[in-house]
Amino acid sequence: MDPTTAAHIPMTAWEQAVIVVLFIFFLGGVFAFVRWVFTWQSKQQDKWQKFTETRDQNWREWMDDQREQDRTILGNIVEAVNELNKKMDCHDGKVEDRINKLTAKRK
């Protein structure tokens, strides 16, 4: 028997069984790891969605408050402009009366 013949002899049954069991454990470990990664990713995605929903709700509330403040401020500005317009009309009337009196005196 020369040294190369040992390479041609197949493994015994228990050696083949050990290799098969190790291969099954390896595949099981790979599948378990993939499942764990998917579960972890799902949890992270849920956390992220909750975070973005909370952030978006806070922004919506803040924007609603800002819009209400803007409406109030613009309402005050409109009132002030209307009041100014009334005062300007009154002042224009007084100036026109003065001009009419001066032109009436010159005639």
Side-chain angles (χ1 to χ4, degrees):
M1 197 177 214
D2 62 290
T4 59
T5 28
H8 297 293
I9 299 174
M11 291 186 286
T12 60
W14 72 270
E15 290 174 329
Q16 291 176 7
V18 167
I19 289 174
V20 168
V21 168
L22 288 175
F23 183 71
I24 289 171
F25 280 144
F26 173 74
L27 282 181
V30 168
F31 289 135
F33 177 73
V34 168
R35 184 177 179 199
W36 176 81
V37 167
F38 285 147
T39 304
W40 177 78
Q41 180 192 18
S42 175
K43 288 178 184 177
Q44 293 299 318
Q45 188 176 14
D46 290 342
K47 286 179 184 178
W48 181 251
Q49 285 177 346
K50 287 178 186 175
F51 169 75
T52 56
E53 286 172 1
T54 303
R55 184 201 61 198
D56 289 348
Q57 184 61 34
N58 290 342
W59 271 107
R60 277 188 216 103
E61 291 171 2
W62 183 81
M63 292 295 288
D64 289 342
D65 290 343
Q66 288 301 312
R67 272 191 232 116
E68 188 60 36
Q69 287 178 4
D70 290 346
R71 280 188 206 113
T72 304
I73 291 170
L74 286 175
N76 293 340
I77 290 173
V78 167
E79 289 176 16
V81 168
N82 287 337
E83 185 67 29
L84 181 62
N85 191 18
K86 288 177 188 175
K87 289 184 180 184
M88 290 298 290
D89 286 342
C90 181
H91 177 65
D92 289 347
K94 290 178 183 177
V95 169
E96 194 158 327
D97 287 344
R98 287 183 194 159
I99 291 173
N100 288 339
K101 285 181 185 178
L102 285 174
T103 54
K105 286 183 182 180
R106 289 186 183 168
K107 289 184 181 182

